[in-house]
Amino acid sequence: MTVATATLAVAAHPLSSAAQTRRAETGMQTLAYGTDRLQQLDYWAGASRNAPLVIFVHGGGWQRGDKRMMLGSAKLRHWQAAGYAVASLNYRLVPDATVEQQAADVASAVAYLKANAGGLGFDARRIALVGHSAGAHLVALAGTDPTYFRAAGLAMNDVAGIVPLDGAGYNVPDQMGENERLMGNTYRQAFGTDPVRQRALSPTLHAAAPNAPAFLILHVQREDARRQSEELAAALRRAGTDANVQGFAGRGLRGHAQINRRLGEPDYPATPVVDAFLTRIFAR
């Protein structure tokens, strides 16, 4: 069966949510990449032992969320139908951990998976990082500030590409001011009040440094997400990094949730855009 045929088969015969979750759990391994109870990931093998790997980092305002949100999701079904191996990460959460430790967790998980690629059965040269919301910020930070990958023993090109989904923390000082009324407390808990630290946690302000090879930055029609996504892409391009940005329908928190929930559905417009990006970076 071809990948296209497999994808159509999944779309034509959708399973119930409970059945999707049961099927996903059957082929899932839960692995520890560190000693903390949250330094764990769920892993699904790909269609072959040289399959590319897509790693997903959940959102939740840096304070909540869980790797098991991937179970039964359209993303998981779609990426499995494409033959990819898939991993979904947990990471330590604010306030028990810092955002710096969260970005370090993302890098440590990539390093763990890459070191164990032979046993897990995927191509260690073809890894993509995808993150939503706070996860979008974390994958963008790890992909622009080499501090995190270097500490984990990685080079910036140890991932083939980064896909942030509707993040808005790429320039933290700007975001803190803009969202004081709605999200001010969440941002203060994550980033504190020290402008130096806020800048250090801003992917846009690291984009002149060595970066991951390619970025696809997606957003819905939230003004802060649109502007910050475009500014991050522009900063990456000035540094000579392959970076594209694209917007999709959807407003407010509903649209913000939709791009994560519906990605992978065949009729959702962002699905073929992400598909094309993954195909391109995995072919390099």
Side-chain angles (χ1 to χ4, degrees):
M1 180 182 289
T2 66
V3 168
T5 303
T7 303
L8 287 173
V10 169
H13 301 286
L15 299 173
S16 70
S17 178
Q20 292 163 9
T21 300
R22 286 194 299 272
R23 187 173 73 172
E25 288 179 331
T26 300
M28 181 183 77
Q29 300 178 62
T30 298
L31 307 167
Y33 65 86
T35 58
D36 189 273
R37 65 178 182 82
L38 286 175
Q39 290 175 314
Q40 294 191 348
L41 60 90
D42 292 336
Y43 174 80
W44 295 264
S48 68
R49 294 194 60 80
N50 66 342
L53 171 66
V54 181
I55 302 172
F56 184 75
V57 182
H58 69 76
W62 301 272
Q63 301 173 42
R64 56 197 165 272
D66 190 87
K67 61 184 173 57
R68 291 178 68 84
M69 295 161 67
M70 178 67 81
L71 289 175
S73 71
K75 292 187 294 294
L76 178 59
R77 296 195 306 274
H78 187 72
W79 290 336
Q80 287 183 309
Y84 299 149
V86 181
S88 180
L89 307 186
N90 267 353
Y91 50 88
R92 291 169 290 175
L93 299 172
V94 171
D96 296 329
T98 65
V99 173
E100 291 89 340
Q101 289 173 316
Q102 293 177 332
D105 282 355
V106 171
S108 294
V110 174
Y112 171 85
L113 286 162
K114 186 176 177 67
N116 289 280
L120 292 172
F122 69 87
D123 186 348
R125 300 166 300 174
R126 296 190 291 167
I127 299 173
L129 267 175
V130 182
H132 173 248
S133 191
H137 166 264
L138 293 173
V139 300
L141 183 60
T144 54
D145 183 349
T147 301
Y148 301 102
F149 272 18
R150 286 174 182 167
L154 297 170
M156 296 302 276
N157 63 0
D158 278 328
V159 293
I162 307 280
V163 184
L165 302 173
D166 206 50
Y170 308 135
N171 184 325
V172 174
D174 280 2
Q175 184 67 356
M176 302 242 345
E178 179 164 348
N179 275 278
E180 179 63 28
R181 184 174 63 84
L182 292 177
M183 297 288 290
N185 191 50
T186 294
Y187 276 86
R188 277 193 301 275
Q189 288 179 350
F191 299 107
T193 57
D194 179 3
V196 173
R197 180 174 179 240
Q198 292 171 4
R199 289 193 293 272
L201 291 171
S202 298
T204 299
L205 305 185
H206 288 289
N211 300 310
F215 285 73
L216 174 65
I217 305 163
L218 305 185
H219 64 85
V220 297
Q221 301 310 307
R222 299 189 303 139
E223 179 55 27
D224 55 345
R226 181 200 62 76
R227 189 185 69 256
Q228 290 221 3
S229 294
E230 290 178 352
E231 290 174 355
L232 174 58
L236 288 164
R237 291 189 201 110
R238 285 195 296 271
T241 301
D242 176 359
N244 292 287
V245 61
Q246 189 161 340
F248 296 91
R251 296 189 178 278
L253 292 178
R254 182 175 181 180
H256 178 67
Q258 184 181 55
I259 195 171
N260 181 48
R261 185 180 66 252
R262 294 200 60 196
L263 183 66
E265 294 179 4
D267 61 345
Y268 185 62
T271 298
V273 174
V274 174
D275 286 350
F277 177 77
L278 294 176
T279 298
R280 178 167 66 86
I281 63 171
F282 288 152
R284 290 178 173 177

